[in-house]
Amino acid sequence: MSREGRVIVTGGASGIGLALVENLLNDGWQVIAADIGEQAIEAARGQLAAFADKVHFARVDVSDEAAVISAVEAWAEEFGPLRGLVNSAGIGAVTPAFETTVEQFRRILDINLVGSFVISREVARAMKQTGGGSIVNIASVSGLVGSLGRTAYGSSKGGVIQMTRILAVEFAEYGIRVNAVAPGPIETPMAKAMHSAVVRKNWEERVPMRRYAEPQEVAGAIAFLLDEAKSSYVTGQTIAVDGGFSIAGLLQPE
Ligand code: NAD
């Protein structure tokens, strides 16, 4: 099936973003994969060579407001209409509050929260002119519950969840839906870098499904939220894709 318009995926050269780009291309979408990592972009370009005419790779830092404004303007002009935006660009850290510097805290907010805001605002401006679209933010279970060491990361993701609700309300009249997914532990380069063997064991004990998810399992939920034919009345929601982590109570037999 071929679909009208483009979907932008930030952080589209790695992990959840890359899995989503592949999923969308297989589903007939044309995609703009925006990422800051030059090597990751080159590797993703190679991996998706079969779709070379359907995917445009761009090097953009989502925390650079001026760069985002001019990139979105250029994409709308060259590839419009823009029908979807997925904010998967993000950084993480697990640092105790006493050791978290203001500089680290601001950096995480700047990319995960402010970066998602700026590109959402700019893409929504374009969508408003062309009949609407769907925005999906990637939050985290760390934005839903309090886990150790996530003062900055969890606050950024909690902010993403609340921003999702507010943008959903503000943009509804323009036919723009805004939703989020909150992943639990997902097998991506970020998780591989951040999770020690002890951390992995902790997750496996606390997740009712007792395992990490593959990035494609998150991509499926995002694709649902992007698809007007499947989720046309869903807006302002956060879907946890977490194997039951955020709803679980006691997990050991009494
Ligand atoms: P990843 O590191 O594999 O991918 C993230 C991508 O974002 C990278 O390609 C990186 O280059 C890009 N990026 C980072 N800073 C950027 C910037 N300033 N501008 C543009 N691109 C930038 O990580 P992932 O696990 O796929 O994470 C994707 C999203 O999912 C993140 O928002 C992360 O917080 C969230 N998440 C991941 C997990 C997990 O377990 N992996 C769990 C919950 C939430």
Side-chain angles (χ1 to χ4, degrees):
M1 179 172 34
S2 114
R3 296 175 185 264
E4 182 236 14
R6 287 252 173 181
V7 178
I8 300 162
V9 181
T10 74
S14 176
I16 295 168
L18 176 59
L20 175 70
V21 170
E22 190 163 12
N23 181 310
L24 293 174
L25 290 167
N26 277 316
D27 207 20
W29 287 102
Q30 301 201 58
V31 180
I32 296 164
D35 203 292
I36 198 173
E38 207 164 320
Q39 285 181 345
I41 288 179
E42 281 324 304
R45 207 194 292 280
Q47 188 177 321
L48 299 175
F51 297 101
D53 57 333
K54 305 271 188 237
V55 56
H56 172 80
F57 285 95
R59 188 149 185 252
V60 179
D61 176 354
V62 295
S63 69
D64 180 342
E65 184 183 17
V68 168
I69 291 173
S70 69
V72 173
E73 212 175 275
W75 296 332
E77 175 97 19
E78 191 177 349
F79 304 115
L82 305 176
R83 283 284 172 246
L85 166 68
V86 179
N87 286 309
S88 192
I91 57 170
V94 178
T95 315
F98 283 131
E99 288 158 35
T100 299
T101 65
V102 165
E103 195 188 2
Q104 286 167 331
F105 203 121
R106 289 204 170 116
R107 181 83 192 123
I108 289 175
L109 283 187
D110 224 24
I111 293 173
N112 295 2
L113 180 56
V114 183
S116 297
F117 164 67
V118 170
I119 192 162
S120 297
R121 185 189 67 195
E122 293 311 306
V123 170
R125 277 193 219 286
M127 287 175 168
K128 186 178 162 204
Q129 307 299 325
T130 54
S134 172
I135 297 174
V136 183
N137 296 313
I138 313 300
S140 168
V141 290
S142 296
L144 291 170
V145 297
S147 289
L148 288 175
R150 285 153 172 89
T151 335
Y153 182 71
S155 302
S156 77
K157 296 301 189 176
V160 165
I161 291 167
Q162 182 64 348
M163 179 178 74
T164 298
R165 298 186 186 113
I166 294 164
L167 294 183
V169 171
E170 289 204 16
F171 294 164
E173 66 176 296
Y174 309 116
I176 302 167
R177 296 180 301 110
V178 188
N179 291 287
V181 296
I186 316 297
E187 292 287 10
T188 68
M190 179 192 276
K192 285 190 173 89
M194 279 175 62
H195 296 191
S196 64
V198 174
V199 170
R200 294 185 82 87
K201 191 163 167 286
N202 270 341
W203 278 109
E204 281 157 11
E205 281 172 5
R206 286 292 322 277
V207 172
M209 291 180 74
R210 307 284 187 198
R211 65 176 177 88
Y212 279 48
E214 293 302 321
Q216 289 78 6
E217 297 180 85
V218 186
I222 302 168
F224 161 75
L225 292 169
L226 281 174
D227 192 338
E228 190 64 18
K230 293 182 177 152
S231 59
S232 54
Y233 203 48
V234 182
T235 198
Q237 303 303 308
T238 296
I239 300 179
V241 184
D242 66 350
F245 172 78
S246 58
I247 51 79
L250 293 173
L251 288 182
Q252 303 299 330
E254 311 243 330

